[in-house]
Amino acid sequence: MKTITLIPLLALALASGCASPRFVVPALPPKYLPAGFSVTVAPVEDTRQNRALNRVFAKTFSADVQAALAAQLASTGRYMSVHTAATDAPPDTDLVMHATLRRLEWEVPSYGEALVGAAVVPVAFGAIGAAFYGSSDISVNGHAEVAVRILKLKDERVLLDRVYVGRHSETTAKFSCDTPSTKARMAAKAFDDAMRQLRRDLGGP
């Protein structure tokens, strides 16, 4: 199975606008305790080998990932406050979350076959055949891997240290399998799958 780079699906790719999408992950509304620990999410360390999606998302990508992590913590209802910070260990917080983004990718396992079909079908069957081929389904995958470490600053105790792996699969039309909106959606849903596991570990919904 091969990870796909950003190659348009020839004449089958549809234009999707010039604006780069933001990295947005669904989260439940924030819930805070009247008293308890405050948590700060430190800047996210990015160790991905494949950074092709950087060309898809807006330049605020790193901050958006950090904000997505903070939203997951806030939705658990286990903390008094949740913030993001520009430094690794701000002094005015009880807990600090350090996260490392190890993987975030979009993948079409049969992308090579789709490219061949995109070249052959219009020649053999004309525009109608090309339109029919382009509207047929193809499988698309998203992958995410995030290492999370939560530290209690007062005694430097590690409260959580785990790697979360998320995956999402769906089918879409061939002509839209490599559009920016598809890539953004697959990445966000894979990340959300990893975050569901994090919320469960933290005692959230």
Side-chain angles (χ1 to χ4, degrees):
M1 190 174 290
K2 184 179 179 181
T3 297
I4 304 303
T5 56
L6 300 181
I7 304 174
L9 188 55
L10 298 181
L12 298 179
L14 296 181
S16 58
C18 297
S20 298
R22 298 284 297 269
F23 181 75
V24 178
V25 178
L28 295 173
K31 296 183 295 182
Y32 299 109
L33 296 174
F37 289 129
S38 60
V39 188
T40 297
V41 180
V44 176
E45 182 181 2
D46 192 342
T47 62
R48 291 172 297 150
Q49 293 184 349
N50 183 346
R51 301 194 179 199
L53 284 175
N54 284 16
R55 290 175 281 175
V56 174
F57 289 112
K59 293 182 180 180
T60 56
F61 173 70
S62 294
D64 290 342
V65 174
Q66 186 184 17
L69 288 164
Q72 302 303 317
L73 292 180
S75 72
T76 64
R78 309 287 290 182
Y79 307 104
M80 182 176 65
S81 64
V82 179
H83 303 282
T84 59
T87 58
D88 285 342
D92 55 345
T93 191
D94 299 309
L95 311 176
V96 175
M97 170 189 274
H98 297 280
T100 301
L101 184 62
R102 295 183 175 182
R103 187 183 187 191
L104 191 66
E105 298 175 10
W106 152 89
E107 173 193 57
V108 181
S110 57
Y111 194 74
E113 296 175 14
L115 285 176
V116 173
V120 172
V121 170
V123 176
F125 300 101
I128 295 177
F132 180 80
Y133 180 77
S135 62
S136 61
D137 287 343
I138 192 170
S139 296
V140 186
N141 300 326
H143 301 277
E145 184 175 328
V146 188
V148 174
R149 190 169 185 263
I150 298 179
L151 179 69
K152 185 178 181 183
L153 289 184
K154 185 176 181 179
D155 55 9
E156 297 187 352
R157 183 158 52 100
V158 177
L159 303 181
L160 177 69
D161 191 357
R162 183 180 168 186
V163 176
Y164 296 92
V165 177
R167 188 176 186 274
H168 178 75
S169 298
E170 62 182 58
T171 57
T172 186
K174 288 185 177 69
F175 59 66
S176 63
C177 73
D178 64 350
T179 61
S181 61
T182 297
K183 296 170 185 176
R185 183 177 72 255
M186 299 307 297
K189 288 191 174 184
F191 191 91
D192 183 50
D193 183 47
M195 291 300 97
R196 280 197 292 269
Q197 302 165 47
L198 171 64
R199 292 194 303 270
R200 184 168 59 245
D201 282 353
L202 296 177

